């Protein structure tokens, strides 16, 4: 630290592990580590490092070292990449495209205490340190954050820790200062006295059904920023409500009051516009507002930056820099409206301006919808609208006609609105399903010459993360079959086949791991039955530092249990499920509560009841087959495990005699089938272990990797459990051999 004097310190998780553990350990040993790391040693330790007394995970605050920037890598990745689980191994695979092993602390301690294996622990942590640097480099975190800080005019760490209001205010004040404006700084009491918003964005209720005809999707480009520029909406251009505009009295305006002299109003005459909410704003020829000027400069600069990117495509370093700038400009333009309407915790909210912007957007969208539905030559109907977009149904039209009509609509609507309000052609859905508000799916075509459509979904389970991966896969496959083949019988066979695989225990466990966000113990009511909270309690019982961080996604599975147990008692950690062969996935729960409801929400729109499909399965298929265990010490968790198997271990035909009569009548064939089955089981196990050896880089007799994000782990453990049955199968061979 003294030799290199770094500006930035990083760690994947700096509260319970990494730097957090080091600081806690130093505090326990009464070592003054914080003053040694700080660049201002004479400061008090409390100000050098914001560390709570026991650093429990319920505190979302990260650590701070005076004079240095301390980055929490997993929180940065969480804001940049959309994943189901944010473990180090899963992030490394999706961002760096490489598999890395995961060892428990017990295994690492065991390695470190052995002289011959100590290098494994050291190499493991060196690999994690290198990967942290590679993650930040791949995401270009330092470069992007530095460019954002330079663009917004705020400190480096404030880009990561502060919200959008801080960024907008920084840019706005730089423009307001040369114009001799001083920003208002309202108190919480003043914000509380401000009236509530009266206008919400226009969201039409969709006509929920399956559409086989083209549906054109059009949206206004940057609608709210464009309205602010076009109509000159700003704090500095508002004249107040037109009802009180001819008086000299002061009137309520946001958190403060506004008074426009009557003499000034006489000079302005007709040089003002009136918003749908009744507020008057002067035109730009009288006074250009601060917000319109800022947004106009931002949008013009972004166009210039994107043009420079096209001219310098070969220079990767310059291209990344320019891309960071245009991205920052885009973000700041999209959140400017939110700065005016943040009436609860805003820095300078003004509900009158926020309502005027939203009301004008509603009026613009409503006017466009009226034009579309009242133009006979288009024969169009708006079936859904949301804030700045509209979905237009063209019954009987072809794909080419849909593109032509869509472009005509965009041209006509754009001509009716002032610059820079512009309606943009986005895509054509053919076919599609509109489920509810903000939930739809379809095959999208973005160009006329596009041959293969793009599967595009919004708001449904295929793109959401609150379910298990199997639900997304089954639902997406079913929707694609509906769009391409339009044969419900084929979809039914596919869904029942997947259900049968789950019932028979042949489905991949990884596809049925559910991950939900943990909000911290203090955020839940007493006695709350939440799976992530239940898992965290079990972890805390073994190690208080093992509690998930606030915002971390906690994985779990649901297993079978004794009849009458509540669902919360059936929740298990994935590693706990894999280490106990007696546990089985609760097929009834996953099918009836996870898989079928999303399918029913889609297919009920075409008159198909998917819940009835599961009821059509034979009873013998709905009761999972029990595979006999050779280890009698395994704890029995379900009632079926107290009984012998009703299936023949050779041909798996249902029988009450252990081995069916058909196999007993032909012992040579039975022995051949068993030996072939043993060969396949052993080969699969060896193949899986070879893949593990290649990943960890060393050949060990017993691979102790516990990376739940690696699909190979589930296959390895499944192969191990199958090998447990090998002794039972060999006994069957001995029985047949003795008879012959």
């Amino acid at each position: 630290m003294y030799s290199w004097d770094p500006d930035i310190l990083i760690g994947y998780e700096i509260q319970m592990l990494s730097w957090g553990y080091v600081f806690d350990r130093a505090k326990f040993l009464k070592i003054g580590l914080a003053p040694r790391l700080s660049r201002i040693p004479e400061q008090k330790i409390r100000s050098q490092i914001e560390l709570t007394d026991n650093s429990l995970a319920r505190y979302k605050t990260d650590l701070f070292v005076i004079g240095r920037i301390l980055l929490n890598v997993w929180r940065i990745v969480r804001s940049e990449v959309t994943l189901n689980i944010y473990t180090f191994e899963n992030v490394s695979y999706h961002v760096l495209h490489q598999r890395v092993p995961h060892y428990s602390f017990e295994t690492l301690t065991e390695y470190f205490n052995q002289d011959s294996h100590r290098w494994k622990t050291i190499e493991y942590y060196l690999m994690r340190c290198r990967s942290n640097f590679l993650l930040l480099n791949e995401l270009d975190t330092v470069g992007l954050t530095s460019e954002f800080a330079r663009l917004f005019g705020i400190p480096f760490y404030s880009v990561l820790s502060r919200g959008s209001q801080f960024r907008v205010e920084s840019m706005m004040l730089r423009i307001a200062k040369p114009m001799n404006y001083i920003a208002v700084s309202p108190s919480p009491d003043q914000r509380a006295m401000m009236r509530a918003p009266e206008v919400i964005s226009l969201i039409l209720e969709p006509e929920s059904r399956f559409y086989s005809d083209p549906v054109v999707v059009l949206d206004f480009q940057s609608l709210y920023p464009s309205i602010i520029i076009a109509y000159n909406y700003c704090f500095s251009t508002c004249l107040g409500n037109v009802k009180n505009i001819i008086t000299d009295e002061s009137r309520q305006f946001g958190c403060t009051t506004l008074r426009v002299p009557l003499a000034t109003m006489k000079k302005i005459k007709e040089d003002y516009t009136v918003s749908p909410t009744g507020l008057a704003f002067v035109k730009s020829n009288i006074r250009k507002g601060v917000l319109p000027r800022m947004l106009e400069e931002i949008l013009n600069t972004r166009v210039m930056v994107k043009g420079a990117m096209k001219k310098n495509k070969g220079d990767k370093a310059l291209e990344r820099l320019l891309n960071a700038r245009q991205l920052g400009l885009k973000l700041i333009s999209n959140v400017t409206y939110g700065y005016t309407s943040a009436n609860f915790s805003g820095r300078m909210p003004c509900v009158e301006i926020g309502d005027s912007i939203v009301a004008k957007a509603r009026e613009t969208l409503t006017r466009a919808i009226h034009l579309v539905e009242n133009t006979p030559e288009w024969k169009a109907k708006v079936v859904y609208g949301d804030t700045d977009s509209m979905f237009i149904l063209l019954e009987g039209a072809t794909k080419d006609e849909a593109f032509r009509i869509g472009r005509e609509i965009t041209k006509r609507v754009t001509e009716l609105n002032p610059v820079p309000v512009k309606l943009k052609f986005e895509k054509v859905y053919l076919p599609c399903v509109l489920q509810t508000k903000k939930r739809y799916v379809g095959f999208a075509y973005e160009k006329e010459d596009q041959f293969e459509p793009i599967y595009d979904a919004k708001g449904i389970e295929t793109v959401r993360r609150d379910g298990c991966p199997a639900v997304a896969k089954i639902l997406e496959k079913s929707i694609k079959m509906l769009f391409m083949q339009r044969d419900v019988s084929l979809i039914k066979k596919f869904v029942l086949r997947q259900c049968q695989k789950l019932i028979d225990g042949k489905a991949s466990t990884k596809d049925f791991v559910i991950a939900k966000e943990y909000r911290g113990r203090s955020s839940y009511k007493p006695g709350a039955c939440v799976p992530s909270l239940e898992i965290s309690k079990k972890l805390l019982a073994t190690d208080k530092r093992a509690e998930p961080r606030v915002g971390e996604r906690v994985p779990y599975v649901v297993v079978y249990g004794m009849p009458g147990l509540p669902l919360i008692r059936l929740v298990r950690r994935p590693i706990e499920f894999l280490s106990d062969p007696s546990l089985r996935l609760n097929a009834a729960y996953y099918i009836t509560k996870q898989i079928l409801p999303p399918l029913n929400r889609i297919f009920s729109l075409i008159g198909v009841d998917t819940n009835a499909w599961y009821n059509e399965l034979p009873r013998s298929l709905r009761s999972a087959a029990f595979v006999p265990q050779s280890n009698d010490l395994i704890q029995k968790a379900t009632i079926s495990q107290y009984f012998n198997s009703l299936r023949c271990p050779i041909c798996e035909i249902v029988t009450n005699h252990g081995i069916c009569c058909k196999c007993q009548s032909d012992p040579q064939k039975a022995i051949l089938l068993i030996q072939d089955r043993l060969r396949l089981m052993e080969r699969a196990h060896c193949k899986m272990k070879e893949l593990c050896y290649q990943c960890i880089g060393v050949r060990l007799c017993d691979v102790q990797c516990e990376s739940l994000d690696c699909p190979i782990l589930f296959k390895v453990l499944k192969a191990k459990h199958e090998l447990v049955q090998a002794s039972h199968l060999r006994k069957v061979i001995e029985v047949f051999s003795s008879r012959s």
Side-chain angles (χ1 to χ4, degrees):
M1 185 70 71
Y2 292 146
S3 302
W4 294 96
D5 191 25
D7 295 316
I8 300 176
L9 307 178
I10 66 173
Y12 190 76
E13 200 287 299
I14 64 173
Q15 287 178 289
M16 295 293 104
L17 305 174
S18 184
W19 291 102
Y21 178 80
V22 171
F23 283 124
D24 272 4
R25 185 65 178 167
K27 183 179 179 181
F28 177 78
L29 297 175
K30 298 181 180 180
I31 299 175
L33 183 60
R36 300 181 186 181
L37 293 181
S38 173
R39 283 176 169 168
I40 310 178
E42 61 272 11
Q43 291 287 328
K44 294 181 180 180
I45 295 179
R46 186 69 180 176
S47 63
Q48 289 169 344
I49 174 168
E50 293 291 332
L51 191 63
T52 55
D53 292 337
N54 51 9
S55 284
L56 292 179
R58 65 176 179 268
Y59 294 98
K60 196 174 180 179
T61 306
D62 291 333
L63 308 181
F64 299 93
V65 177
I66 300 299
R68 306 186 196 276
I69 297 171
L70 190 55
L71 298 183
N72 200 349
V73 176
W74 89 268
R75 289 202 182 276
I76 294 174
V77 173
R78 180 172 171 266
S79 63
E80 295 290 336
V81 185
T82 302
L83 297 175
N84 196 35
I85 302 174
Y86 288 95
T87 59
F88 177 81
E89 295 75 26
N90 197 39
V91 169
S92 295
Y93 174 71
H94 285 91
V95 178
L96 302 179
H97 309 293
Q98 63 181 22
R99 292 284 184 192
V100 294
H102 172 76
Y103 301 116
S104 64
F105 294 129
E106 182 181 0
T107 301
L108 292 171
T109 304
E110 181 182 343
Y111 286 160
F112 191 79
N113 291 334
Q114 299 176 12
D115 294 337
S116 59
H117 294 287
R118 184 171 298 165
W119 63 272
K120 297 177 186 176
T121 302
I122 298 173
E123 185 176 285
Y124 176 74
Y125 280 109
L126 286 175
M127 177 270 297
R128 291 179 69 96
C129 291
R130 286 193 300 267
S131 297
N132 285 333
F133 283 104
L134 293 175
L135 285 172
L136 294 183
N137 183 63
E138 184 68 24
L139 298 174
D140 195 22
T141 301
V142 176
L144 280 173
T145 307
S146 300
E147 194 58 35
F148 286 172
R150 189 181 298 112
L151 182 67
F152 302 145
I154 59 178
F156 180 93
Y157 193 73
S158 296
V159 176
L160 301 173
S161 60
R162 302 296 295 268
S164 59
Q165 293 190 59
F166 190 69
R167 305 178 184 185
V168 173
E169 190 169 273
S170 176
M171 297 192 72
M172 184 185 68
L173 293 180
R174 282 189 289 172
I175 295 177
K177 184 179 179 181
M179 301 172 68
N180 292 326
Y181 288 120
I182 298 176
V184 178
S185 182
S187 65
D189 293 336
Q190 287 177 305
R191 287 200 303 265
M193 293 297 293
M194 188 173 60
R195 69 171 179 83
E198 297 176 351
V199 186
I200 60 173
S201 58
L202 178 62
I203 303 178
L204 302 179
E205 189 69 35
E207 297 184 13
S208 303
R209 66 182 180 90
F210 172 78
Y211 293 90
S212 58
D213 293 315
V215 174
V216 180
V217 181
L218 309 176
D219 68 341
F220 287 93
Q221 184 175 355
S222 302
L223 180 59
Y224 286 173
S226 299
I227 285 176
I228 293 174
I229 297 171
Y231 298 98
N232 204 31
Y233 288 170
C234 182
F235 305 96
S236 60
T237 60
C238 185
L239 301 174
N241 198 296
V242 290
K243 296 179 181 179
N244 306 320
I245 208 168
I246 58 174
T247 64
D248 277 334
E249 297 179 359
S250 298
R251 42 197 172 272
Q252 186 72 23
F253 181 66
C255 298
T256 59
T257 57
L258 175 67
R259 178 181 175 274
V260 180
L262 189 59
T264 304
M265 291 302 306
K266 291 180 180 179
K267 291 180 182 179
I268 296 174
K269 294 182 180 179
E270 300 297 327
D271 287 330
Y272 62 85
T273 59
V274 180
S275 72
T277 57
L279 258 70
F281 294 86
V282 297
K283 295 182 179 179
S284 57
N285 61 327
I286 301 297
R287 174 188 289 174
K288 188 77 170 180
V290 176
L291 293 180
R293 178 172 295 183
M294 180 184 76
L295 289 171
E296 195 169 6
E297 291 180 2
I298 287 173
L299 296 179
N300 292 337
T301 305
R302 184 166 181 252
V303 172
M304 293 171 56
V305 172
K306 293 182 75 174
M309 286 178 61
K310 294 180 180 179
K311 295 179 181 178
N312 299 275
K313 283 189 176 181
D315 192 341
K316 291 186 177 180
L318 181 59
E319 192 174 357
R320 292 178 72 174
L321 177 67
L322 294 175
N323 183 57
R325 288 183 181 176
Q326 71 89 16
L327 182 61
L329 292 169
K330 177 184 177 182
L331 293 175
I332 203 72
S333 65
N334 289 337
V335 299
T336 302
Y337 155 74
Y339 182 82
T340 65
S341 62
N343 60 319
F344 178 72
S345 60
R347 301 267 296 180
M348 195 172 67
C350 184
V351 69
E352 288 83 2
I353 296 177
D355 278 350
S356 297
I357 296 170
V358 177
K360 200 64 181 181
R362 287 179 62 99
E363 181 185 274
T364 304
L365 183 59
T366 304
R367 189 166 57 243
I369 293 173
H370 180 77
L371 174 65
V372 169
E373 294 187 337
N374 289 275
T375 305
E377 62 265 24
W378 291 337
K379 298 179 182 178
K381 180 183 179 182
V382 177
V383 293
Y384 178 50
D386 186 355
T387 308
D388 61 348
S389 62
M390 51 184 177
F391 290 59
I392 304 170
L393 174 64
L394 302 175
E395 293 184 350
T398 63
K399 186 182 74 172
D400 294 336
E401 291 174 345
F403 274 95
R404 178 182 59 80
I405 295 174
R407 300 195 190 282
E408 289 180 5
I409 294 173
T410 57
K411 183 179 179 181
R412 188 84 63 86
V413 172
T414 302
E415 291 173 351
L416 294 177
N417 288 282
V419 178
V421 179
K422 180 181 179 182
L423 184 64
K424 185 177 64 174
F425 183 93
E426 189 171 344
K427 56 198 166 190
V428 172
Y429 279 138
L430 183 65
C432 72
V433 172
L434 296 183
Q435 188 173 321
T436 57
K437 293 179 181 179
K438 300 184 183 296
R439 291 192 178 192
Y440 49 88
V441 59
F443 275 169
Y445 295 87
E446 298 178 351
K447 298 179 181 178
E448 292 92 335
D449 56 353
Q450 181 180 340
F451 181 72
E452 290 293 334
I454 301 171
Y455 174 82
D456 186 38
K458 296 289 187 296
I460 65 172
E461 282 73 12
T462 59
V463 293
R464 295 176 61 176
R465 296 181 293 169
D466 54 356
C468 57
V471 175
K473 293 178 181 179
I474 294 174
L475 181 60
E476 181 174 339
K477 178 69 174 178
S478 301
I479 292 174
K480 287 182 177 179
M481 292 174 68
L482 174 66
F483 288 167
M484 291 187 293
Q485 300 170 355
R486 305 194 183 184
D487 189 344
V488 178
S489 62
L490 295 178
I491 301 172
K492 179 179 178 180
K493 290 179 181 178
F494 166 73
V495 173
L496 292 182
R497 187 165 61 249
Q498 300 305 313
C499 293
Q500 183 175 337
K501 285 174 62 178
L502 176 59
I503 292 170
D504 293 341
K506 297 179 181 179
S508 173
T509 306
K510 190 175 187 299
D511 289 337
F512 293 91
V513 176
I514 305 172
K516 295 292 182 69
E517 188 172 298
Y518 179 66
R519 302 197 304 266
R521 282 179 292 166
S522 59
S523 300
Y524 298 101
K525 295 181 180 179
C529 296
V530 181
S532 56
L533 178 62
E534 188 72 15
I535 295 293
S536 68
K537 289 179 180 178
K538 293 180 181 179
L539 293 173
L540 272 173
T542 57
D543 181 7
K544 74 172 186 177
R545 303 188 72 90
E547 183 183 4
R549 308 291 79 75
V550 175
E552 185 176 349
R553 301 184 67 84
V554 179
Y556 66 91
V557 295
V558 180
V559 300
Y560 278 113
M562 296 178 62
L565 279 179
L567 183 64
I568 196 66
R569 298 285 299 276
L570 305 178
V571 172
R572 298 289 186 275
R573 295 171 57 205
I575 192 65
E576 182 182 352
F577 171 80
L578 293 174
S579 59
D580 188 353
S582 66
L583 296 177
R584 293 186 294 114
L585 290 176
N586 194 327
Y589 167 79
Y590 279 104
I591 293 174
T592 59
K593 302 298 183 182
Q594 292 286 328
I595 297 175
L596 292 182
L599 285 169
N600 199 53
R601 283 192 284 270
I602 293 290
F603 288 93
S604 62
L605 300 177
I606 59 175
V608 177
D609 183 12
T610 57
N611 293 325
W613 294 354
Y614 177 64
N615 296 329
E616 294 176 9
L617 281 173
R619 295 290 298 180
S620 60
L621 290 178
R622 278 194 273 166
S623 58
F626 168 64
V627 181
Q629 302 284 345
S630 62
N631 187 1
D632 296 332
L633 298 178
I634 292 178
Q635 182 181 359
K636 297 178 174 62
T638 59
I639 193 169
S640 62
Q641 293 173 340
Y642 287 90
F643 299 93
N644 292 327
S645 174
L646 297 178
R647 293 183 182 272
C648 174
I650 302 171
C651 61
E652 296 187 354
I653 295 177
V654 178
T655 178
N656 293 323
H657 304 289
I659 300 175
C660 66
C661 299
K662 183 179 179 181
C663 293
Q664 290 182 7
S665 62
D666 193 352
Q668 292 182 349
K669 182 180 179 181
I671 292 174
L672 184 63
L673 290 174
I674 293 175
Q675 289 178 340
D676 185 61
R677 185 175 173 184
L678 288 172
R679 179 181 59 83
L680 293 176
M681 291 165 56
E682 292 172 353
R683 176 180 291 182
H685 184 250
C686 292
K687 186 178 180 180
M688 294 300 106
K689 288 186 68 175
E690 187 65 30
L691 291 174
C692 287
Y693 293 154
Q694 294 177 7
C695 178
I696 64 177
V698 62
R699 292 182 174 273
L700 299 173
C701 296
D702 186 17
V703 179
Q704 297 182 340
C705 173
E706 297 179 356
S707 177
L708 296 174
D709 305 293
C710 178
I712 302 299
L713 175 67
F714 294 88
K715 294 180 180 179
V716 168
L717 294 178
K718 183 179 179 181
K720 280 185 179 180
H721 295 163
E722 288 179 348
L723 283 179
V724 173
Q725 318 307 323
S727 59
H728 174 73
L729 295 176
R730 290 191 177 94
K731 289 180 181 179
V732 174
I733 293 178
E734 292 176 0
V735 171
F736 280 118
S737 300
S738 61
R739 291 179 182 177
S740 59

